[in-house]
Short mmCIF file of all heavy atoms in Angstrom, two decimals:
data_model
loop_
_atom_site.label_atom_id
_atom_site.label_comp_id
_atom_site.label_asym_id
_atom_site.label_seq_id
_atom_site.Cartn_x
_atom_site.Cartn_y
_atom_site.Cartn_z
N GLN G 416 0.83 -1.19 0.00
CA GLN G 416 0.01 -0.01 0.00
C GLN G 416 0.86 1.25 0.00
O GLN G 416 0.59 2.23 -0.73
CB GLN G 416 -0.92 0.01 1.23
CG GLN G 416 -1.87 1.19 1.29
CD GLN G 416 -2.76 1.28 0.06
OE1 GLN G 416 -3.46 0.33 -0.27
NE2 GLN G 416 -2.77 2.43 -0.61
N LEU G 417 1.93 1.25 0.80
CA LEU G 417 2.86 2.38 0.81
C LEU G 417 3.48 2.57 -0.59
O LEU G 417 3.60 3.71 -1.08
CB LEU G 417 3.95 2.15 1.86
CG LEU G 417 4.96 3.25 2.09
CD1 LEU G 417 5.41 3.29 3.53
CD2 LEU G 417 6.21 3.06 1.19
N ALA G 418 3.86 1.47 -1.20
CA ALA G 418 4.47 1.55 -2.54
C ALA G 418 3.47 2.15 -3.55
O ALA G 418 3.87 2.93 -4.43
CB ALA G 418 4.91 0.16 -2.98
N HIS G 419 2.21 1.76 -3.42
CA HIS G 419 1.19 2.32 -4.31
C HIS G 419 1.07 3.83 -4.09
O HIS G 419 0.97 4.59 -5.07
CB HIS G 419 -0.15 1.63 -4.03
CG HIS G 419 -1.30 2.23 -4.79
ND1 HIS G 419 -1.49 1.98 -6.15
CD2 HIS G 419 -2.31 3.07 -4.40
CE1 HIS G 419 -2.55 2.64 -6.54
NE2 HIS G 419 -3.07 3.30 -5.51
N ASN G 420 1.10 4.27 -2.86
CA ASN G 420 0.93 5.67 -2.56
C ASN G 420 2.07 6.52 -3.14
O ASN G 420 1.86 7.67 -3.54
CB ASN G 420 0.87 5.90 -1.04
CG ASN G 420 -0.35 5.28 -0.41
OD1 ASN G 420 -1.34 4.96 -1.13
ND2 ASN G 420 -0.30 5.06 0.91
N PHE G 421 3.27 5.96 -3.17
CA PHE G 421 4.46 6.71 -3.64
C PHE G 421 4.89 6.29 -5.06
O PHE G 421 5.96 6.72 -5.50
CB PHE G 421 5.61 6.54 -2.67
CG PHE G 421 5.46 7.32 -1.40
CD1 PHE G 421 4.90 6.74 -0.26
CD2 PHE G 421 5.88 8.63 -1.31
CE1 PHE G 421 4.76 7.45 0.91
CE2 PHE G 421 5.74 9.38 -0.14
CZ PHE G 421 5.19 8.78 0.99
N GLN G 422 4.09 5.47 -5.75
CA GLN G 422 4.45 5.00 -7.10
C GLN G 422 5.83 4.32 -7.13
O GLN G 422 6.65 4.60 -7.98
CB GLN G 422 4.42 6.16 -8.11
CG GLN G 422 3.06 6.84 -8.24
CD GLN G 422 3.14 8.05 -9.15
OE1 GLN G 422 3.56 9.14 -8.76
NE2 GLN G 422 2.73 7.84 -10.38
N MET G 423 6.03 3.45 -6.17
CA MET G 423 7.32 2.80 -6.02
C MET G 423 7.43 1.52 -6.88
O MET G 423 6.46 0.78 -7.01
CB MET G 423 7.56 2.35 -4.56
CG MET G 423 7.76 3.47 -3.59
SD MET G 423 7.92 2.76 -1.91
CE MET G 423 8.12 4.27 -0.96
N THR G 424 8.59 1.31 -7.40
CA THR G 424 9.00 -0.02 -7.85
C THR G 424 9.85 -0.60 -6.71
O THR G 424 10.83 0.02 -6.32
CB THR G 424 9.84 0.06 -9.16
OG1 THR G 424 9.06 0.64 -10.18
CG2 THR G 424 10.31 -1.32 -9.58
N TYR G 425 9.47 -1.75 -6.19
CA TYR G 425 10.15 -2.22 -4.98
C TYR G 425 10.30 -3.73 -4.97
O TYR G 425 9.64 -4.46 -5.72
CB TYR G 425 9.40 -1.77 -3.72
CG TYR G 425 8.17 -2.60 -3.42
CD1 TYR G 425 8.20 -3.60 -2.45
CD2 TYR G 425 6.96 -2.37 -4.09
CE1 TYR G 425 7.08 -4.36 -2.15
CE2 TYR G 425 5.84 -3.12 -3.79
CZ TYR G 425 5.89 -4.10 -2.83
OH TYR G 425 4.78 -4.85 -2.55
N HIS G 426 11.19 -4.20 -4.10
CA HIS G 426 11.40 -5.62 -3.90
C HIS G 426 11.80 -5.86 -2.44
O HIS G 426 12.58 -5.10 -1.88
CB HIS G 426 12.49 -6.15 -4.82
CG HIS G 426 12.60 -7.63 -4.83
ND1 HIS G 426 11.68 -8.46 -5.38
CD2 HIS G 426 13.57 -8.46 -4.29
CE1 HIS G 426 12.04 -9.72 -5.22
NE2 HIS G 426 13.19 -9.74 -4.56
N ILE G 427 11.21 -6.89 -1.83
CA ILE G 427 11.58 -7.28 -0.48
C ILE G 427 12.24 -8.66 -0.55
O ILE G 427 11.62 -9.61 -1.07
CB ILE G 427 10.35 -7.33 0.46
CG1 ILE G 427 9.63 -5.97 0.45
CG2 ILE G 427 10.77 -7.70 1.86
CD1 ILE G 427 8.33 -5.97 1.25
N SER G 428 13.45 -8.77 -0.04
CA SER G 428 14.23 -10.01 -0.15
C SER G 428 14.57 -10.53 1.23
O SER G 428 14.79 -9.75 2.15
CB SER G 428 15.52 -9.75 -0.94
OG SER G 428 15.25 -9.10 -2.16
N GLU G 429 14.67 -11.85 1.33
CA GLU G 429 15.06 -12.48 2.58
C GLU G 429 16.56 -12.75 2.55
O GLU G 429 17.07 -13.46 1.66
CB GLU G 429 14.30 -13.81 2.72
CG GLU G 429 12.79 -13.62 2.79
CD GLU G 429 12.04 -14.94 2.66
OE1 GLU G 429 12.68 -15.95 2.32
OE2 GLU G 429 10.82 -14.94 2.91
N VAL G 430 17.29 -12.18 3.51
CA VAL G 430 18.74 -12.30 3.55
C VAL G 430 19.17 -13.77 3.68
O VAL G 430 20.18 -14.20 3.12
CB VAL G 430 19.32 -11.44 4.69
CG1 VAL G 430 20.81 -11.73 4.88
CG2 VAL G 430 19.10 -9.97 4.39
N ALA G 431 18.40 -14.55 4.39
CA ALA G 431 18.77 -15.96 4.62
C ALA G 431 18.63 -16.81 3.36
O ALA G 431 19.11 -17.95 3.35
CB ALA G 431 17.90 -16.55 5.73
N HIS G 432 18.02 -16.27 2.33
CA HIS G 432 17.80 -17.03 1.10
C HIS G 432 18.92 -16.76 0.10
O HIS G 432 19.00 -15.67 -0.46
CB HIS G 432 16.46 -16.62 0.47
CG HIS G 432 16.27 -17.13 -0.94
ND1 HIS G 432 16.09 -18.46 -1.24
CD2 HIS G 432 16.24 -16.46 -2.11
CE1 HIS G 432 15.95 -18.59 -2.55
NE2 HIS G 432 16.02 -17.38 -3.09
N PRO G 433 19.87 -17.69 -0.08
CA PRO G 433 20.95 -17.47 -1.09
C PRO G 433 20.36 -17.44 -2.48
O PRO G 433 19.43 -18.19 -2.78
CB PRO G 433 21.88 -18.65 -0.90
CG PRO G 433 21.02 -19.72 -0.29
CD PRO G 433 19.98 -19.02 0.55
N MET G 434 20.85 -16.57 -3.31
CA MET G 434 20.30 -16.38 -4.66
C MET G 434 20.65 -17.58 -5.54
O MET G 434 21.82 -17.93 -5.69
CB MET G 434 20.82 -15.09 -5.26
CG MET G 434 20.17 -14.74 -6.60
SD MET G 434 20.48 -13.05 -7.10
CE MET G 434 19.49 -12.13 -5.92
N ARG G 435 19.63 -18.17 -6.13
CA ARG G 435 19.83 -19.33 -7.01
C ARG G 435 20.44 -18.85 -8.34
O ARG G 435 19.81 -18.09 -9.08
CB ARG G 435 18.49 -20.05 -7.23
CG ARG G 435 17.97 -20.70 -5.94
CD ARG G 435 16.66 -21.43 -6.17
NE ARG G 435 16.78 -22.53 -7.10
CZ ARG G 435 17.26 -23.72 -6.81
NH1 ARG G 435 17.72 -23.99 -5.59
NH2 ARG G 435 17.31 -24.68 -7.71
N THR G 436 21.67 -19.34 -8.60
CA THR G 436 22.48 -18.78 -9.67
C THR G 436 22.96 -19.85 -10.63
O THR G 436 23.50 -20.87 -10.21
CB THR G 436 23.70 -18.05 -9.07
OG1 THR G 436 23.24 -17.03 -8.16
CG2 THR G 436 24.59 -17.44 -10.13
N LEU G 437 22.77 -19.59 -11.91
CA LEU G 437 23.29 -20.46 -12.96
C LEU G 437 24.46 -19.75 -13.62
O LEU G 437 24.36 -18.56 -13.96
CB LEU G 437 22.19 -20.74 -13.99
CG LEU G 437 22.54 -21.64 -15.19
CD1 LEU G 437 21.32 -22.45 -15.61
CD2 LEU G 437 23.04 -20.83 -16.39
N ILE G 438 25.58 -20.45 -13.76
CA ILE G 438 26.78 -19.88 -14.36
C ILE G 438 27.01 -20.48 -15.74
O ILE G 438 26.94 -21.70 -15.91
CB ILE G 438 28.02 -20.11 -13.47
CG1 ILE G 438 27.79 -19.57 -12.06
CG2 ILE G 438 29.26 -19.45 -14.10
CD1 ILE G 438 28.95 -19.83 -11.10
N MET G 439 27.29 -19.61 -16.70
CA MET G 439 27.58 -20.05 -18.06
C MET G 439 29.03 -19.67 -18.38
O MET G 439 29.50 -18.58 -18.06
CB MET G 439 26.65 -19.40 -19.06
CG MET G 439 25.15 -19.66 -18.77
SD MET G 439 24.03 -19.02 -20.03
CE MET G 439 24.39 -20.13 -21.40
N ALA G 440 29.73 -20.62 -19.01
CA ALA G 440 31.13 -20.38 -19.38
C ALA G 440 31.41 -21.20 -20.64
O ALA G 440 30.67 -22.15 -20.96
CB ALA G 440 32.08 -20.76 -18.27
N SER G 441 32.49 -20.87 -21.33
CA SER G 441 32.85 -21.62 -22.54
C SER G 441 34.10 -22.44 -22.31
O SER G 441 34.01 -23.62 -21.94
CB SER G 441 33.03 -20.65 -23.72
OG SER G 441 31.77 -20.13 -24.14
N LYS G 442 35.28 -21.85 -22.47
CA LYS G 442 36.52 -22.63 -22.29
C LYS G 442 37.44 -22.06 -21.24
O LYS G 442 38.19 -22.80 -20.62
CB LYS G 442 37.26 -22.69 -23.63
CG LYS G 442 36.58 -23.51 -24.71
CD LYS G 442 37.46 -23.61 -25.96
CE LYS G 442 36.84 -24.51 -27.01
NZ LYS G 442 37.71 -24.66 -28.20
N GLU G 443 37.40 -20.74 -21.02
CA GLU G 443 38.31 -20.11 -20.05
C GLU G 443 37.81 -20.36 -18.64
O GLU G 443 36.65 -20.06 -18.33
CB GLU G 443 38.44 -18.63 -20.33
CG GLU G 443 39.08 -18.32 -21.69
CD GLU G 443 39.23 -16.82 -21.92
OE1 GLU G 443 39.84 -16.19 -21.03
OE2 GLU G 443 38.78 -16.31 -22.95
N PRO G 444 38.67 -20.86 -17.74
CA PRO G 444 38.20 -21.26 -16.41
C PRO G 444 38.29 -20.20 -15.32
O PRO G 444 37.75 -20.39 -14.23
CB PRO G 444 39.14 -22.41 -16.07
CG PRO G 444 40.44 -22.04 -16.72
CD PRO G 444 40.05 -21.32 -18.01
N HIS G 445 39.00 -19.09 -15.57
CA HIS G 445 39.38 -18.23 -14.45
C HIS G 445 38.19 -17.61 -13.70
O HIS G 445 38.18 -17.60 -12.47
CB HIS G 445 40.36 -17.15 -14.91
CG HIS G 445 39.86 -16.23 -15.98
ND1 HIS G 445 39.82 -16.61 -17.30
CD2 HIS G 445 39.39 -14.96 -15.93
CE1 HIS G 445 39.35 -15.60 -18.03
NE2 HIS G 445 39.08 -14.59 -17.21
N CYS G 446 37.19 -17.12 -14.41
CA CYS G 446 36.04 -16.52 -13.74
C CYS G 446 35.17 -17.57 -13.06
O CYS G 446 34.69 -17.41 -11.94
CB CYS G 446 35.21 -15.71 -14.72
SG CYS G 446 35.99 -14.12 -15.19
N LEU G 447 34.97 -18.69 -13.74
CA LEU G 447 34.17 -19.76 -13.18
C LEU G 447 34.81 -20.32 -11.91
O LEU G 447 34.13 -20.50 -10.89
CB LEU G 447 34.00 -20.88 -14.20
CG LEU G 447 33.27 -22.15 -13.70
CD1 LEU G 447 31.86 -21.83 -13.24
CD2 LEU G 447 33.25 -23.21 -14.80
N SER G 448 36.09 -20.60 -11.94
CA SER G 448 36.77 -21.17 -10.77
C SER G 448 36.73 -20.20 -9.60
O SER G 448 36.59 -20.63 -8.44
CB SER G 448 38.20 -21.57 -11.10
OG SER G 448 38.97 -20.44 -11.47
N ASP G 449 36.86 -18.91 -9.88
CA ASP G 449 36.81 -17.92 -8.81
C ASP G 449 35.45 -17.88 -8.14
O ASP G 449 35.34 -17.85 -6.91
CB ASP G 449 37.15 -16.55 -9.38
CG ASP G 449 37.27 -15.48 -8.33
OD1 ASP G 449 38.20 -15.54 -7.51
OD2 ASP G 449 36.41 -14.56 -8.28
N LEU G 450 34.38 -17.91 -8.93
CA LEU G 450 33.03 -17.91 -8.36
C LEU G 450 32.76 -19.18 -7.56
O LEU G 450 32.16 -19.13 -6.47
CB LEU G 450 32.01 -17.75 -9.46
CG LEU G 450 32.01 -16.41 -10.21
CD1 LEU G 450 31.03 -16.47 -11.39
CD2 LEU G 450 31.65 -15.25 -9.29
N LEU G 451 33.16 -20.32 -8.10
CA LEU G 451 32.96 -21.58 -7.39
C LEU G 451 33.70 -21.61 -6.06
O LEU G 451 33.17 -22.04 -5.04
CB LEU G 451 33.43 -22.75 -8.27
CG LEU G 451 32.53 -23.10 -9.45
CD1 LEU G 451 33.25 -24.01 -10.43
CD2 LEU G 451 31.23 -23.73 -9.01
N ALA G 452 34.94 -21.11 -6.06
CA ALA G 452 35.74 -21.11 -4.82
C ALA G 452 35.13 -20.17 -3.79
O ALA G 452 35.01 -20.51 -2.62
CB ALA G 452 37.17 -20.71 -5.15
N LYS G 453 34.75 -18.96 -4.21
CA LYS G 453 34.22 -18.00 -3.28
C LYS G 453 32.86 -18.43 -2.73
O LYS G 453 32.54 -18.19 -1.56
CB LYS G 453 34.12 -16.61 -3.94
CG LYS G 453 35.49 -15.98 -4.10
CD LYS G 453 35.42 -14.65 -4.83
CE LYS G 453 36.82 -14.04 -4.92
NZ LYS G 453 36.87 -12.83 -5.78
N GLN G 454 32.07 -19.10 -3.55
CA GLN G 454 30.80 -19.61 -3.06
C GLN G 454 31.02 -20.72 -2.00
O GLN G 454 30.39 -20.73 -0.96
CB GLN G 454 29.94 -20.13 -4.22
CG GLN G 454 28.52 -20.52 -3.87
CD GLN G 454 28.39 -21.93 -3.33
OE1 GLN G 454 29.25 -22.78 -3.59
NE2 GLN G 454 27.34 -22.19 -2.59
N ARG G 455 31.97 -21.59 -2.28
CA ARG G 455 32.28 -22.66 -1.32
C ARG G 455 32.81 -22.09 -0.02
O ARG G 455 32.52 -22.61 1.08
CB ARG G 455 33.30 -23.65 -1.92
CG ARG G 455 33.76 -24.69 -0.93
CD ARG G 455 34.67 -25.73 -1.57
NE ARG G 455 33.92 -26.70 -2.40
CZ ARG G 455 34.45 -27.74 -2.98
NH1 ARG G 455 35.75 -28.00 -2.81
NH2 ARG G 455 33.73 -28.56 -3.72
N GLU G 456 33.57 -21.00 -0.09
CA GLU G 456 34.16 -20.38 1.11
C GLU G 456 33.14 -19.55 1.87
O GLU G 456 33.44 -19.01 2.94
CB GLU G 456 35.34 -19.53 0.71
CG GLU G 456 36.53 -20.30 0.14
CD GLU G 456 37.53 -19.39 -0.56
OE1 GLU G 456 37.37 -18.16 -0.48
OE2 GLU G 456 38.46 -19.92 -1.19
N GLY G 457 31.92 -19.40 1.33
CA GLY G 457 30.90 -18.59 2.00
C GLY G 457 31.06 -17.11 1.75
O GLY G 457 30.47 -16.29 2.48
N ARG G 458 31.80 -16.73 0.73
CA ARG G 458 32.04 -15.32 0.45
C ARG G 458 31.05 -14.74 -0.56
O ARG G 458 31.05 -13.54 -0.81
CB ARG G 458 33.49 -15.14 -0.08
CG ARG G 458 34.54 -15.50 0.99
CD ARG G 458 35.90 -15.67 0.37
NE ARG G 458 36.39 -14.44 -0.24
CZ ARG G 458 37.49 -14.36 -0.99
NH1 ARG G 458 38.22 -15.46 -1.20
NH2 ARG G 458 37.87 -13.23 -1.49
#
């Protein structure tokens, strides 16, 4: 209702919900390996 009153575009997100992410890559591994490692480390 508040958003309607102020003509807002808005989103409410739950911090505890990790974002479901699909990664696409071709042959170069550097960006993919970095994302996989940081996700595993909780970063």
